[in-house]
Amino acid sequence: MPVTETRLLLKYADEPDYTPGIDSYLMVGGYEMLKKAVGMKPEEIRNEVKGSGLRGRGGAGFPCGVKWDLVDRKSGKPIYLICNCDESEPGTFKDRQLVHKDPHQLIEGMMISAFANDVKLAFIYIREEMPKGAKILSAAIDEARARGFVGANICGSSYSCELIVHRGAGAYICGEETGLIESLEGKRAYPRIKPPYFPAVLGLYNCPTIVNNVETLCNIVHILRMGVVEYNKIGRPNNTGTRLWCVSGHVQRPGYFEVAGITMGQLLYDLCGGPRPGRKFKAIVPGGGSMKILRYDEKFKGKKPNGEAYEYGVDDIPLDFDGVAAAGSMSGSGGMMVMDDSVDILEALANLTQFYAHESCGQCTPCREGSQWARKITARMCTGNGQPGDLDTLYDMAGNIGGRTVCPMGFSTTWPVQSYIDKFREEIVAKARENRCGMPREARLIQK
Amino acid sequence: MNLKPETLSTIENLIPRYPQKRSALMMVLHEVQADQGHISNEAVEWVARKLDLQPINVLEVVTFFPSYRQEKLGRSWVRLCRTLSCGLMGAYTTGEVLEKELGCKMGHTTEDGSITLEYSECLAACGTGPVALVDEDLFENLTPDKLGPVIAEIKNRAAGGVPSPTKG
Amino acid sequence: MSEPKKDDGLISVNIDRVEVRCRPGENIVEVAASIGHEIPHYCYHPKLSVSGNCRMCLVEMGLPGKDRATGKLLHNTDGSPLIQWFPGPAIACGTRAAPGMHIRTTSEVVKKCREGVMEFLLLNHPLDCPICDQAGECRLQEFSTHYGRGYSRFLEEKNVKPKRTVLGPRVTLDDERCILCSRCIRFSREIARDDVLGFTDRGSYSTLTCFPGRKLENNYSLNTVDICPVGALTSTDFRFKMRVWFLKASPSIDTETSTGCNTAVWSREGKIYRITPRRNDGVNDTWMPDSGRTLYKQVEAENRLQQSLVRGQPAAFADALREATTILTGGTRASGSVAVVGSGRSSVEEQFLLKKLAGALGGATAQIVGRVGEGDDLLVSKDKNPNVRGALLTGLIDALPVPQLSGLAREIDAGRVKTLLVVGEDLVGAGLNAAQLAKVSIVYVGTHLDATAAKAAVVLAGLTVFEKFGSFINQQFRIQKFHRAVPGPAGARDDLVLLASLLANVSGAEAPSVMESVWAAMSAEVPALAGLSFARIPATGKVLDGAPWSSLPFIEGKTMHFNPAAARAPAAVTA
């Protein structure tokens, strides 16, 4: 029986008559949860979110309830809520769907979250490359304000909260929460050192701040609607709720899918139609360009409940936080990129190192210099000018980046470089030795 | 600084939304660029005065973010994504076709200022790659064999025609 | 070992298995430095905010483990606290001392971190050492020697950036050498409060810039050159002049104002090449104004007195001294007809001798020339004399000086003053005119042939602050020492010798003429200096009791480490 999606957040988004307008949203019960929320105590809502086990959908998978708990509520300073809609991780395009097709769901999720955290001013930081999205959100906020869901006296209560759309300008590093905050303050998006600048304590304007992903905030509506017990039935412990997975690259039917409790094989075959005609799967990057790559023929070690060890393959990887982590990678932002046997892995790596070198903010030494070095080496190898020792240099210096930087972006060079070399070393070495790196002209992945 | 009255009024309404003036910087710069086609050094100084900042503070931000341009953009701004997923679907070949058909080298603006063509990084529409942003419109599924409509639309806009919008 | 806090408020941390007592929250870079364990760093600076971006100071950090449920400290089997080491390294500059914190600055992990960062820093760094002024005091050179891997694996093209940008009148910038530590930007924003520097572009192409049309020209611009760890920001005045390893640094004091910034005067074989600030956390931190850095140029000024003069003609010192004695003692025959004009730029020791000399000259009235100007609220005080308080303490004066000596002018016009002993001041700028100078016999002790010296009957050539030892008392009543950097002209004499010789001749008794003997007399006769000697003054100076003068209307306003309101309260004397 092929699996199907579990549409919760995207239940109505792709229905033919559904529009981003407020009337569509109200017709399907929209804003009922906001009305309920303003009659509850904020702590009650926070407890619901904690009990739901909701983990951040932006990339790190940090439990949302715990993040809200860390907020300093004693400082006397205003608390801010920021929706991170800077979706820029290569392979990810799920937040685009939510924002363009069902903006009110996000707005309702934000207003409930704002109420739960005593927030009076909330922001949606949307990347510049979604100009329509910004307009759709602004229009939706105006609609919501006209009906009392945003602004003064929400749903007739004494609670007021304003919501602003703020546009980015083309920086992946604004997806990092402290980089986003710096950018929102009108400065270069240099992530902050932690300690001491944990957003929950010293965030926007050095006030306690919550930064949550679009999908995470949309889930809040459903947690309140279903209740903790029902919500926990979706997925499995520590991996509750649905997830929006994005599949791109060499599958028959790339696209976005909202699923729960399925395996990677079910996604790749049942939902995406398997590999292209005449091709075989070669490699999968599970959770966005930063994540470690998996060979399609890789085997992993698992343990049965009775303690017995067993082996499983990529198709059997449970498609959630813990499942992908157990396979040695991360589900990250859910941006899965699939490569078949037409791909030169080194070119794929060169393509990604160019991305991360371009996006490095330049603040700290390892990422600034190391990401550009990785780009230069891989680009040179792809033009057939690889030197002996290139791979060892590349691998070793990449190990000096991740974990040594101000923000986790250091890993965006380290993980791809080291995992591609770890898993495809023979192929890369053979091609470099023969100076025959590179893909056929019409298929290549880097500019020559 | 010859900003249109609508631009000035939008800017005036933008600034008080934020608890601190400086936070309005990015949105103000978007308005200025939409109005003027780029952000000149004169504009940088104007914005700095408006937000009680030093010009270097504004210039730092303008040059950090690729969407802000100090050189004038063409009438039609074409950004073709090259990151891995779009690359896997043939973005570089598409790029070559566009260069040829539009008569514009990648990373350049045509002599007559009508088209700016460049590669961009991931545009968050990977499932329908290759994709390109033409001004505010997203064009999807731009494999080398399917470029007819987007090329026509770009030329249309470059000639000053009314843009046909897309859904995204 | 985590001990309970002792009463001194200090806590214990462990650095490389050494127990260290320190203040809670103290920066780990400083704590490690206090026991001689250097943690290399670029972007950290003790007087600037922490930016934590160079990543050179990565160390291993651990904290005492606590039971999750009870919060109680966990212990090893031998009873020692269980230290939970963080899985990844942490930046020392961003780490504040907490009780029981453990730090490793020498381990395989730390070694690899430093090699990694050094390699990355050198990746795009130009091979400019042979032509770079920073060589010899370059932290990139030092740390790559100590902590680098020693060879390059980089086969690519390095980034190209502008190399000779004139940022302002005194600072030149080489962007390729810049390691983007941001010290200069933080200094300009936080200390100089002239927000004129910033980074443009992104990633490895980031470039230090001034906005086109703006300049780095504030009066503290050269401090960015001092704190730049590499040769990116250089002093245009010093550029290409001298290799620093040939230079000797002599501790001195900026004589520009009564702030008394501590300086280092760098010289080689009798020639001064530059002045930089010397750290004094009680006076000027690690900064000084640009205007004080060019003062050494007076040493070789056109009108520098190379030797003593008698009636405008070069003379041997002994002859000049004899002439001067004659004029001064002749003057005392008519009592009250000798006036003494000293200087707020003379040292305490010189002012002490001058007071004695004034006394020996029949109790001649002594005054100094006041100097008032614009100050800022940083390191430039309104009093342009460095040592008015020295004159007060030694009793040379008992009221604040005025810039125009109109009283003296009247006395000269009235014919009551016929002889002048002038030490280091040009009276033409102080309210006297050529006609008045012509009416008197002048004995001039000083360093430059100014308008007064030109009219003097005898000129005794002395030494500038760079050529002698002495002390000044700044606006905080802090006595601070300066040291000779270069020898003076062969025909000049140390001012102590000049004044003591005159004193001995006029009084007929021996006079102290060297530091030790002058101080012996000073500490005996000046209450505020009791028990002190030149050697005993600490390198950062010593704050004296200014209470006896607290009612005087000092003109200084608030500057970096000086608050006049606090100063007026006698109890607010801190060392």
Side-chain angles (χ1 to χ4, degrees), chain A residues 157-418:
Chain A
S157 74
S158 60
Y159 173 67
S160 305
C161 180
E162 244 329 308
L163 182 54
I164 296 179
V165 174
H166 184 98
R167 295 180 67 208
Y172 165 88
I173 196 63
C174 289
E176 205 282 330
E177 54 180 7
T178 56
L180 193 165
I181 289 173
E182 285 286 302
S183 159
L184 194 47
E185 289 188 5
K187 304 182 235 168
R188 288 162 75 85
Y190 283 172
R192 298 176 174 175
I193 51 173
K194 296 188 268 201
Y197 295 105
F198 294 105
V201 181
L202 293 175
L204 185 65
Y205 315 127
N206 275 343
C207 298
T209 305
I210 299 169
V211 181
N212 278 136
N213 171 265
V214 170
E215 188 184 345
T216 312
L217 289 165
C218 288
N219 266 284
I220 304 292
V221 180
H222 301 280
I223 291 169
L224 228 59
R225 183 171 53 77
M226 297 168 72
V228 166
V229 171
E230 281 305 306
Y231 189 85
N232 272 292
K233 289 187 183 155
I234 311 175
R236 57 174 174 141
N238 213 34
N239 299 270
T240 53
T242 61
R243 285 202 64 173
L244 266 60
W245 279 92
C246 314
V247 184
S248 59
H250 296 154
V251 290
Q252 298 255 17
R253 291 190 296 275
Y256 53 91
F257 307 92
E258 187 174 3
V259 295
I262 69 168
T263 63
M264 197 172 277
Q266 285 171 322
L267 177 67
L268 288 172
Y269 290 97
D270 293 354
L271 293 170
C272 296
R276 300 185 295 177
R279 290 284 177 202
K280 292 208 201 13
F281 287 141
K282 177 169 174 176
I284 317 259
V285 180
S290 306
M291 301 310 162
K292 295 185 189 177
I293 199 170
L294 301 174
R295 288 182 69 105
Y296 185 67
D297 59 8
E298 226 179 303
K299 295 282 175 257
F300 311 97
K301 291 203 171 32
K303 263 213 173 73
K304 293 202 186 140
N306 63 9
E308 194 187 318
Y310 70 100
E311 252 196 9
Y312 63 100
V314 163
D315 287 340
D316 300 312
I317 294 175
L319 214 52
D320 55 27
F321 295 100
D322 292 346
V324 182
S329 184
M330 273 177 77
S331 61
S333 55
M336 188 180 299
M337 296 188 283
V338 182
M339 293 178 248
D340 64 24
D341 52 344
S342 69
V343 173
D344 177 333
I345 283 296
L346 183 59
E347 279 221 5
L349 179 61
N351 180 297
L352 282 178
T353 53
Q354 177 168 333
F355 175 86
Y356 292 111
H358 182 251
E359 298 297 336
S360 173
C361 73
Q363 182 185 200
C364 68
T365 311
C367 172
R368 175 180 75 236
E369 303 297 339
S371 66
Q372 198 197 55
W373 195 7
R375 172 176 74 72
K376 287 180 175 172
I377 296 179
T378 50
R380 177 168 54 75
M381 289 174 80
C382 284
T383 57
N385 290 318
Q387 301 293 321
D390 272 343
L391 271 196
D392 290 330
T393 300
L394 185 56
Y395 193 94
D396 183 62
M397 76 87 176
N400 286 332
I401 307 175
R404 313 263 178 95
T405 50
V406 174
C407 81
M409 183 160 168
F411 290 113
S412 299
T413 299
T414 305
W415 285 339
V417 165
Q418 294 198 327

Side-chain angles (χ1 to χ4, degrees), chain A residues 43-70:
Chain A
E43 310 90 78
E44 286 179 272
I45 303 174
R46 298 203 298 269
N47 282 335
E48 289 282 292
V49 172
K50 248 193 294 203
S52 74
L54 175 68
R55 291 173 68 167
R57 300 292 199 254
F62 192 83
C64 182
V66 176
K67 184 183 266 198
W68 287 7
D69 259 1
L70 293 170

Side-chain angles (χ1 to χ4, degrees), chain C residues 191-213:
Chain C
I191 309 288
R193 272 169 278 131
D194 180 25
D195 195 353
V196 76
L197 290 176
F199 289 135
T200 50
D201 296 327
R202 191 166 83 183
S204 201
Y205 299 109
S206 299
T207 305
L208 181 67
T209 318
C210 242
F211 187 78

